[in-house]
Amino acid sequence: MKRIGAGIRSLGLPAIEKISEEQSGTAFHVLIATMLSAQTRDPVTLEASTRLFAKAPTPEAMAKLSEAQIEKLIYPVSFYRNKAVHVKAACRKLLAEFGGVVPSTMDELLTLPGVGRKTANLVRIVAHKRPDSICVDTHVHRIANRLGWVRTRMPEQTERALYEVTAKKWWSRINLYLVTWGQHVCKPVYPRCPHCPVLPLCPRIGVTRVSKT
Ligand code: SF4
């Protein structure tokens, strides 16, 4: 983690951290951007979120948009039709049951339409600064397995396993570090092992082909 932390300093922040830190995004913005980010490339998430928040910066304003308006604003994020439905429903639920405030507990977050453990954990970490969550997406799942930290088949298993094998002081940083690493160095196909500062420590489990650049 220390080597990866040093390695990501010169690399760009992932979309959700950018929205939170560079655009001073609220917890609501972090929640909605994370919902939009599923299976969508970071630049697309960032542009779609920025368009949506410019039109509707609060749950009140967003709940007033029609699903068709939300679709148009967030296109071309993947599954934009489903996501528009979930975004509107989540805004309505936030207003009806949480006073328009994004909750911070896992149980409450999971009651919001379209919110699963990955989104809930990232909201807890990025928006609420909780130190007791690990957010596992495909990058975290893949790299934790390549590094030999865990041996799991599904991200949900990886989350459970990481709580067992990693020190708590790193939990809230695992997602930021490994997502950034996965976007730039330990890519899904052709990871850049020859130039990776973690190479001396990495068993490279499951890696069969590497990038030459
Ligand atoms: S050495 Fe290769 S597999 Fe291991 S972390 Fe670096 S890029 Fe990933």
Side-chain angles (χ1 to χ4, degrees), residues 34 37-39 116-123 135-138 159:
T34 307
S37 72
Q39 297 186 48
R117 286 194 69 85
K118 181 172 79 80
T119 297
N121 274 319
L122 201 60
V123 169
C135 174
V136 175
D137 72 345
T138 55
E159 186 194 337

Side-chain angles (χ1 to χ4, degrees), residues 70-72 74-85:
I70 297 173
E71 275 181 22
K72 204 170 165 195
I74 66 175
Y75 181 84
V77 299
S78 51
F79 310 113
Y80 62 95
R81 288 203 175 96
N82 279 346
K83 287 178 183 174
V85 172

Side-chain angles (χ1 to χ4, degrees), residues 15 17 19 22-23 26 29 73 76 82 99 106 111 121 127-130 135-136 140 183-186 199 201:
E17 280 78 2
I19 286 165
E22 293 177 3
Q23 299 186 7
T26 62
H29 293 168
L73 288 162
N82 279 346
M106 176 61 74
T111 67
N121 274 319
H128 296 302
K129 310 297 178 203
R130 298 287 312 192
C135 174
V136 175
V140 175
Q183 289 172 342
H184 296 274
V185 183
C186 193
L199 181 61
L201 304 171

Side-chain angles (χ1 to χ4, degrees), residues 4 142-148 178 181-182 184-187 190-207 209-210:
I4 294 173
R142 178 182 72 255
I143 299 173
N145 274 279
R146 283 179 176 172
L147 286 164
L178 298 195
W181 209 238
H184 296 274
V185 183
C186 193
K187 297 183 176 192
Y190 297 116
R192 304 179 67 204
C193 301
H195 304 284
C196 178
V198 182
L199 181 61
L201 304 171
C202 182
R204 297 194 289 153
I205 293 169
V207 174
R209 291 173 296 181
V210 301

Side-chain angles (χ1 to χ4, degrees), residues 95-108:
L95 293 169
E97 296 182 24
F98 298 102
V101 176
V102 176
S104 63
T105 70
M106 176 61 74
D107 287 348
E108 287 172 321

